[in-house]
Amino acid sequence: MSDTPSPVRRRSGRGARERILKAATELFTAQGVNATGMDQLTTVAHVSKRTLYTHFASKDDLVQAYLRELEDGLLPAEVVPGEPCPDAREQLLAIFDWPQGRTDGPLRGCPFLNAAVEVPDPDHPVHLMVAAYKREFARRLTALARVAGARDPEALGEQLALLYDGAVARSTALNATGPGAHARAVAIALVDAAID
């Protein structure tokens, strides 16, 4: 019997892109973009470097794909012109409905804010994507505020976006979900004052 470790078994074929994105999501969420190396990604995704680079030309491309995979699930509800928008007030507040209690590991907060911190160059494609996401986040809140009857929907949308980002950052720093509940209480006061 040999003491030589066996090489990591690679899976080829269909599903490689999905495995790479799944591995990127797990690793970027757990340890951050900069701390995650391409060797680690290939090991977790069970692909070769060649396969990884076939699907993603660079780590920046992979980070952008990872963020694109997340954005629809993290953005507030979209207001579609001509379609009913049930309880816009509650949809405004829903962004603060986070699971409460302890987690097994550290809270990592907003993946978009994390990416902006890790890629600080404001002209970098990842940073530009984050800025576009954050603008869209506020735009959707503004549209919901308009439907809810806010006197100044643009101001309310920006206030709620800022409150959300602050609460997420505080949750990350404290490794606690409680700031979401406190932010929701502040959001209720903001929304009700803007709609009255």
Side-chain angles (χ1 to χ4, degrees), residues 80-102:
V80 179
E83 289 188 17
C85 180
D87 207 348
R89 178 186 178 277
E90 279 307 310
Q91 289 187 52
L92 286 169
L93 300 175
I95 64 170
F96 300 101
D97 292 340
W98 306 343
Q100 298 296 307
R102 303 286 305 155

Side-chain angles (χ1 to χ4, degrees), residues 1 12 16 27 31 68 74 76 90 100 110 142 147 149 154:
M1 187 170 209
S12 60
L27 295 171
Q31 61 194 31
R68 270 192 299 277
L74 298 176
E90 279 307 310
Q100 298 296 307
C110 174
T142 297
V147 171
E154 288 79 13

Side-chain angles (χ1 to χ4, degrees), residues 134-183:
K134 286 300 179 180
R135 282 191 294 274
E136 177 64 11
F137 191 92
R139 186 197 69 74
R140 288 191 182 196
L141 291 174
T142 297
L144 284 167
R146 186 171 289 113
V147 171
R151 287 183 301 283
D152 187 348
E154 288 79 13
L156 182 58
E158 284 295 328
Q159 290 166 352
L160 292 174
L162 180 61
L163 180 61
Y164 175 85
D165 286 342
V168 168
R170 186 164 176 82
S171 286
T172 303
L174 298 177
N175 198 45
T177 58
H182 295 296

Side-chain angles (χ1 to χ4, degrees), residues 2-191:
S2 170
D3 289 338
T4 308
S6 61
V8 174
R9 190 161 176 252
R10 307 285 184 204
R11 289 172 48 195
S12 60
R14 298 172 61 155
R17 179 180 172 80
E18 290 76 20
R19 287 195 313 277
I20 295 165
L21 280 170
K22 183 176 185 264
T25 300
E26 290 171 10
L27 295 171
F28 293 163
T29 299
Q31 61 194 31
V33 169
N34 292 338
T36 301
M38 297 305 259
D39 288 333
Q40 186 182 22
L41 276 163
T42 59
T43 299
V44 172
H46 302 288
V47 297
S48 67
K49 270 195 178 175
R50 179 178 178 191
T51 299
L52 189 149
Y53 286 113
T54 296
H55 291 283
F56 303 98
S58 67
K59 187 174 182 182
D60 289 342
D61 288 343
L62 178 56
V63 172
Q64 290 176 69
Y66 148 74
L67 292 173
R68 270 192 299 277
E69 287 283 311
L70 298 177
E71 68 185 339
D72 283 341
L74 298 176
L75 283 169
E78 176 77 76
V79 174
V80 179
E83 289 188 17
C85 180
D87 207 348
R89 178 186 178 277
E90 279 307 310
Q91 289 187 52
L92 286 169
L93 300 175
I95 64 170
F96 300 101
D97 292 340
W98 306 343
Q100 298 296 307
R102 303 286 305 155
T103 63
D104 292 337
L107 290 175
R108 293 283 294 146
C110 174
F112 289 86
L113 290 177
N114 293 342
V117 170
E118 293 200 64
V119 184
D121 177 359
D123 295 323
H124 189 282
V126 169
H127 203 101
L128 292 170
M129 182 179 184
V130 170
Y133 168 84
K134 286 300 179 180
R135 282 191 294 274
E136 177 64 11
F137 191 92
R139 186 197 69 74
R140 288 191 182 196
L141 291 174
T142 297
L144 284 167
R146 186 171 289 113
V147 171
R151 287 183 301 283
D152 187 348
E154 288 79 13
L156 182 58
E158 284 295 328
Q159 290 166 352
L160 292 174
L162 180 61
L163 180 61
Y164 175 85
D165 286 342
V168 168
R170 186 164 176 82
S171 286
T172 303
L174 298 177
N175 198 45
T177 58
H182 295 296
R184 192 180 205 283
V186 173
I188 288 169
L190 283 171
V191 169

